[in-house]
């Protein structure tokens, strides 16, 4: 899919989700507020989209450091259950 800005693959919202994940957030609720204000998403929907992105090869190609870090976190949480 061509998004019109020279980036093949991920849509703008998908790139914005990964960009938000690269940022550090101080204190409780700060990230959730950023999700609502910057992306216009409910946090539950945001995490659904993020989880799907972690399995998307286009996301890995776009931002391998962030995607691999989040995959490790997800894997460790799953193994704790």
């Amino acid at each position: 899919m061509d998004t019109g800005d020279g980036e093949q693959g991920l849509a703008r919202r998908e790139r914005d989700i990964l960009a938000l994940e690269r940022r550090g957030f101080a204190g409780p609720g700060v990230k959730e507020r950023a999700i609502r204000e910057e992306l216009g998403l409910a946090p539950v929907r945001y995490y659904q989209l993020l989880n799907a992105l972690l399995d998307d090869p286009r996301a890995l190609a776009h931002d391998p450091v962030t995607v691999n870090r989040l995959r490790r976190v997800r894997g460790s949480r799953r193994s704790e259950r």
Side-chain angles (χ1 to χ4, degrees):
M1 167 170 63
D2 187 357
T3 57
D5 58 4
E7 178 79 24
Q8 291 280 329
L10 295 179
R12 177 77 192 178
R13 176 180 274 181
E14 294 167 325
R15 293 192 313 269
D16 290 346
I17 288 171
L18 291 174
L20 194 113
E21 281 300 315
R22 282 192 299 270
R23 293 169 34 193
F25 294 94
V30 176
K31 182 176 183 179
E32 286 73 17
R33 189 170 338 142
I35 290 168
R36 288 183 193 282
E37 292 175 1
E38 297 174 26
L39 301 178
L41 293 170
V44 170
R45 182 65 181 143
Y46 170 85
Y47 287 110
Q48 290 171 338
L49 293 170
L50 175 62
N51 195 48
L53 264 177
L54 297 184
D55 297 325
D56 190 328
R58 297 171 305 144
L60 182 61
H62 176 77
D63 191 346
V65 172
T66 301
V67 171
N68 282 324
R69 176 179 56 83
L70 294 170
R71 283 178 174 179
R72 282 191 303 273
V73 170
R74 181 177 68 177
S76 68
R77 287 183 180 155
R78 285 182 177 170
S79 66
E80 290 173 3
R81 294 181 193 167

